[in-house]
Amino acid sequence: MKIVPLTLREANDFVEQHHRHSARTSNDGGKFAIGIEIDGELVGAAIVGRPVARMLQRPGAAELLRCCVSPAAPRNACSRLEARCKRIWQQMGGTRLLTYTLARESGASLRATGAVREATVDAESWNRPSRRRAARSIEAEDKVRWAWTLPEIPA
């Protein structure tokens, strides 16, 4: 397995093809994207950007927006992507990395990389009078917020 840099477009194209329930990210808050290859074939992608929830947008904070693998990926591919995103963000000076899973998902790969279950987020529609959104079935499910606290790397 080899970790490779991706453009946000490449990562979103992969997510569109392989993610079980989430769509592309909007590119306006994207910080970086990486992939995982086996024998030159892309089998996983991860996208890190600014936290979606505005109350969590603080200096040093980022969100792992998508982590997605294809059926051809080995079992530990998600953990490898998550661990590398954590390390890259820390090396960029980040101090906190967040991500979400659906409440019905185990979060095993996140626990394996040191993420801590931080909160349960009740299901809520993103549709508001000030920003109309089409309803999606995923909005009807509770989510779990996970976090990594990253120690500062000395200069």
Side-chain angles (χ1 to χ4, degrees):
M1 282 192 290
K2 178 180 166 187
I3 300 289
V4 295
L6 297 177
T7 65
L8 291 171
R9 178 169 290 161
E10 290 169 329
N12 269 316
D13 288 348
F14 186 88
V15 166
E16 202 167 49
Q17 287 183 323
H18 297 286
H19 204 286
R20 292 181 304 231
H21 53 72
S22 291
R24 302 174 72 87
T25 66
S26 68
N27 288 338
D28 61 343
K31 304 234 183 252
F32 66 90
I34 60 172
I36 194 163
E37 288 183 347
I38 297 177
D39 298 326
E41 177 189 356
L42 187 64
V43 297
I47 302 170
V48 173
R50 68 171 167 73
V52 174
R54 66 184 169 86
M55 297 304 289
L56 298 174
Q57 294 175 11
R58 297 180 214 147
E63 183 175 326
L64 176 58
L65 299 167
R66 299 285 185 277
C67 187
C68 172
V69 296
S70 73
R75 283 190 66 192
N76 64 345
C78 277
S79 292
R80 290 235 179 143
L81 286 167
E82 292 158 355
R84 186 62 61 93
C85 286
K86 179 177 101 168
R87 189 163 72 198
I88 290 169
W89 184 239
Q90 183 180 25
Q91 290 174 337
M92 291 174 70
T95 55
R96 185 167 156 79
L97 185 62
L98 309 167
T99 196
Y100 294 84
T101 60
L102 297 176
R104 63 181 156 86
E105 296 174 318
S106 74
S109 66
L110 297 167
R111 285 193 309 275
T113 61
V116 175
R117 185 182 177 127
E118 189 174 77
T120 300
V121 181
D122 294 335
E124 183 179 350
S125 171
W126 282 50
N127 188 31
R128 299 284 186 271
S130 61
R131 55 174 166 73
R132 294 287 179 198
R133 302 271 168 88
R136 295 179 24 208
S137 61
I138 193 163
E139 293 172 358
E141 295 192 49
D142 291 347
K143 292 160 190 69
V144 175
R145 183 171 63 234
W146 300 81
W148 294 272
T149 302
L150 311 173
E152 191 175 322
I153 298 176

